């Protein structure tokens, strides 16, 4: 197994061990602590020193890590990479147990973000997330993280014999068609609080201790490296855990104690980012101000820091589809394993402009990495990402980029082995700029 294949397998392992944003952040915290980062608390006074490394979490599902350089922050600014911890899918509703014909137990769910619904059918699924427990302080319940780590549910398709036109296309109803089957029960089964009891058993706590939960479904089967030459990655959640993983690896591999580097992993990008832990909130601005003041700098120093800083907003990009070439711009259609993609949009749904794009192109050249550009067809609206949302809160020079992929928002997506290595090299080169 060569280095690029090993890195791709590391990504697959990271995704498999991170079935919800809570596990994503937990796993990032573990790596940061192993590498000498100190945890700060949002509710305590911060003591920050040059040459040291810190991180802070928000809502257990977002994390901000910073390596403070020895040079003055207002003079160098911060080299920042941002990504997100969440993926489209299904969130489990409160009191979710539904019995059908007194035998079939299914769970009531709500769609999160914009998943391709049909891809979730007929796959082994499981559950993961956060459980809130009783504590001595009513304002601060305890948090416990759970992943059942076994196939528990499935959303079954309707047989073609009962829907002869199914291959002509079908509109799936989110409330009716997309509820997962959990099991077949007997006549003595009591559905009320069944899930709470299951959580209590998994966490080894009393049922009475559980107050609430934030649980999502995830595909149980692990990703894999595939293709004629083992050149592709098939996995859930490449959008956007591939960029999260590359950012974390780059931060830990960077060798630069002179200037300041930062990794920002937000939550809730897939539902618009306007949450307290999302890029559309003041959380990043607040973290940066507290770092600035903890270093003894004044408000003017803070603004100088912002205007000397640069952010790479890293979120996956669209590769050309082999069967649907006409869905892409006639010229700018990135290829898997062709290198990281600079994302451009005239309406500024991506923040890239000539200035920030030039910065990223220069870094790619410095790292010896090919790069591509993506623009939507002029008659087709595209999506948006972290960059344009975060710059609404903090006016920092930003480029939007991501690795090219197919089947974005499918339960199982497809990316390139080489692209992950390319992006890691670019991120390390960026962090190492002095």
């Amino acid at each position: 197994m060569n280095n690029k294949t090993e890195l791709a397998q590391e990504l697959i392992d990271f995704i498999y061990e991170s079935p919800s944003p809570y596990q994503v952040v937990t796993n990032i915290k573990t790596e940061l602590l192993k590498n000498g980062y100190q945890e700060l608390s949002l509710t305590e006074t911060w003591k920050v020193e040059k040459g040291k490394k810190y991180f802070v979490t928000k809502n257990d599902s977002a994390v901000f890590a910073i390596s403070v350089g020895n040079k003055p922050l207002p003079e160098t600014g911060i080299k920042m990479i941002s990504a997100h911890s969440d993926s489209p899918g299904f969130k489990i509703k409160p009191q979710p147990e539904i019995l059908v014909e007194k035998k079939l137990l299914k769970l009531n769910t709500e769609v999160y973000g914009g998943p391709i619904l049909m891809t979730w059918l007929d796959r082994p699924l499981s559950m993961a997330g956060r459980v809130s427990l009783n504590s001595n302080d009513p304002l601060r319940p305890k948090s416990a993280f759970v992943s059942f780590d076994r196939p528990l549910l499935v959303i079954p398709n309707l047989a073609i014999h009962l829907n002869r036109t199914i291959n002509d296309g079908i509109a799936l109803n989110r409330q009716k068609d997309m509820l997962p089957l959990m099991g077949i029960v007997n006549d003595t089964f009591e559905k009320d609080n069944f899930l709470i009891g299951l959580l209590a058993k998994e966490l080894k706590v009393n049922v009475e201790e559980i107050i609430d939960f934030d649980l999502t479904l995830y595909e149980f089967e692990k990703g894999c490296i595939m293709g004629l030459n083992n050149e592709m990655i098939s996995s859930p959640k490449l959008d956007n855990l591939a960029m999260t993983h590359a950012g974390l690896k780059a931060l830990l591999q960077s060798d630069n104690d002179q200037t300041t580097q930062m990794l920002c992993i937000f939550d809730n990008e897939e539902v618009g980012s306007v949450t307290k832990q999302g890029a559309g909130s003041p959380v990043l601005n607040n973290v940066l101000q507290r770092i600035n003041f903890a270093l003894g700098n004044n408000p003017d120093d803070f603004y100088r820091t912002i205007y000397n800083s640069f952010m790479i907003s890293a979120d996956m990009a669209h590769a050309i589809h082999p069967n649907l070439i006409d869905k892409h711009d006639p010229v700018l259609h990135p290829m898997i394993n062709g290198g990281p993609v600079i994302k451009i949009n005239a309406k500024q749904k991506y923040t890239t402009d000539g200035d920030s794009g030039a910065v990223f192109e220069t870094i790619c050249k410095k790292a010896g990495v090919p790069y591509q550009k993506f623009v939507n067809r002029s008659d087709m609206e595209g999506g948006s990402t972290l960059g344009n949302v975060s710059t609404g809160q903090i006016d920092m020079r930003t480029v939007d980029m991501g690795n090219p992929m197919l089947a974005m928002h499918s339960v199982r997506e497809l990316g390139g082995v080489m692209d992950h290595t390319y992006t890691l090299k670019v991120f390390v080169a960026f962090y190492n700029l002095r």
Side-chain angles (χ1 to χ4, degrees):
M1 190 180 287
N2 57 38
N3 290 341
K4 64 179 184 292
T5 307
E6 289 177 2
L7 181 65
Q9 189 60 53
E10 277 187 40
L11 168 62
I12 290 168
D13 294 342
F14 174 76
I15 292 172
Y16 187 71
E17 293 161 4
S18 306
S20 85
Y22 304 104
Q23 281 81 19
V24 172
V25 169
T26 297
N27 292 331
I28 291 173
K29 282 177 61 175
T30 299
E31 291 302 311
L32 292 172
L33 290 168
K34 280 183 189 175
N35 286 272
Y37 281 75
Q38 303 173 43
E39 185 169 9
L40 302 171
S41 170
L42 289 172
T43 59
E44 297 176 2
T45 300
W46 290 5
K47 295 180 180 179
V48 177
E49 300 176 28
K50 291 181 179 179
K52 294 192 176 180
K53 303 174 181 180
Y54 307 91
F55 72 91
V56 65
T57 65
K58 178 81 179 224
N59 189 53
D60 302 318
S61 61
V63 59
F64 305 88
I66 187 164
S67 175
V68 183
N70 287 307
K71 290 183 178 179
L73 205 57
E75 294 178 11
T76 65
I78 301 171
K79 290 184 290 297
M80 198 176 302
I81 295 171
S82 66
H84 62 89
S85 62
D86 62 322
S87 300
F90 295 84
K91 187 172 182 181
I92 297 172
K93 293 181 180 180
Q95 301 171 350
E97 303 90 350
I98 298 174
L99 268 183
V100 179
E101 299 294 322
K102 299 182 180 179
K103 289 290 185 182
L104 303 176
L105 174 65
K106 62 183 183 180
L107 295 186
N108 199 8
T109 61
E110 185 176 8
V111 173
Y112 178 89
I116 302 176
L117 298 179
M118 68 180 72
T119 65
W120 285 78
L121 301 176
D122 303 322
R123 292 184 181 263
L125 305 175
S126 193
M127 298 182 292
R130 178 178 65 180
V131 180
S132 297
L133 306 173
N134 273 321
S135 76
N136 294 328
D137 183 353
L139 293 177
R140 301 204 178 276
K142 294 178 184 177
S143 291
F145 308 120
V146 65
S147 175
F148 283 90
D149 199 27
R150 60 187 184 274
L152 278 177
L153 310 106
V154 65
I155 306 172
N157 229 316
L158 183 65
I160 193 169
H161 313 82
L162 303 178
N163 184 2
R164 289 293 183 182
T165 62
I166 191 169
N167 288 328
D168 297 330
I170 180 172
L172 293 169
N173 183 286
R174 298 178 176 210
Q175 182 63 63
K176 181 180 178 182
D177 300 319
M178 300 307 298
L179 302 188
L181 175 67
M182 193 172 197
I184 303 168
V185 299
N186 57 35
D187 294 335
T188 62
F189 176 78
E190 295 183 8
K191 74 177 182 66
D192 292 344
N193 290 322
F194 172 77
L195 181 58
I196 296 292
L198 201 64
L199 289 169
K201 183 177 179 181
E202 193 73 15
L203 293 171
K204 296 180 173 57
V205 300
N206 294 323
V207 170
E208 294 76 19
E209 294 181 63
I210 296 178
I211 307 171
D212 210 336
F213 54 77
D214 298 286
L215 296 177
T216 53
L217 303 183
Y218 70 93
E219 186 195 14
F220 178 72
E221 292 181 353
K222 192 173 184 177
C224 65
I225 296 171
M226 60 166 292
L228 183 63
N229 300 301
N230 289 325
E231 71 273 34
M232 296 182 289
I233 304 170
S234 171
S235 175
K237 301 178 185 291
L238 288 177
D239 176 23
N240 191 39
L241 295 192
M243 295 294 93
T244 296
H245 181 258
L248 175 63
K249 293 283 290 186
L251 184 68
L252 300 181
Q253 288 183 19
S254 62
D255 183 21
N256 180 4
D257 63 0
Q258 294 303 300
T259 61
T260 299
Q261 303 93 45
M262 189 170 184
L263 176 68
C264 309
I265 306 299
F266 296 99
D267 191 10
N268 302 127
E269 189 275 342
E270 300 293 355
V271 290
S273 294
V274 190
T275 62
K276 63 186 182 301
Q277 57 275 355
S281 78
V283 61
L284 177 57
N285 195 321
N286 293 344
V287 168
L288 293 176
Q289 288 201 52
R290 293 186 69 176
I291 293 288
N292 179 73
F293 298 142
L295 287 169
N297 296 328
N298 61 39
D300 190 60
D301 292 328
F302 171 71
Y303 294 119
R304 290 174 60 207
T305 297
I306 297 307
Y307 297 132
N308 277 317
S309 296
F310 191 90
M311 177 189 285
I312 296 176
S313 168
D315 201 356
M316 297 294 276
H318 300 295
I320 189 167
H321 195 290
N323 301 330
L324 297 164
I325 294 173
D326 60 327
K327 291 292 185 180
H328 301 267
D329 181 85
V331 178
L332 299 170
H333 39 240
M335 188 77 66
I336 286 179
N337 285 330
V341 177
I342 300 169
K343 302 194 289 188
I344 302 163
N345 183 273
K347 295 181 180 179
Q348 288 294 285
K349 288 187 174 182
Y350 303 133
T351 55
T352 308
D353 56 21
D355 170 70
S356 62
V359 171
F360 190 78
E361 290 181 45
T362 303
I363 297 168
C364 286
K365 292 173 183 175
K366 183 179 177 67
V369 166
Y371 59 88
Q372 310 176 80
K373 294 184 179 180
F374 171 83
V375 180
N376 280 298
R377 280 179 56 114
S378 298
D379 56 358
M380 186 179 295
E381 287 290 327
S384 61
T385 182
L386 296 164
N388 67 327
V389 176
S390 63
T391 53
Q393 293 291 328
I394 188 164
D395 53 331
M396 183 183 297
R397 294 165 71 209
T398 304
V399 64
D400 272 301
M401 58 74 62
N403 276 347
M405 64 176 291
L406 291 170
M408 187 181 289
H409 289 199
S410 171
V411 76
R412 200 169 183 98
E413 301 165 326
L414 191 70
V417 167
M418 198 65 227
D419 285 326
H420 201 55
T421 293
Y422 284 148
T423 291
L424 176 58
K425 287 180 68 177
V426 174
F427 285 178
V428 171
F430 172 62
Y431 277 146
N432 282 341
L433 292 173
R434 298 176 185 267

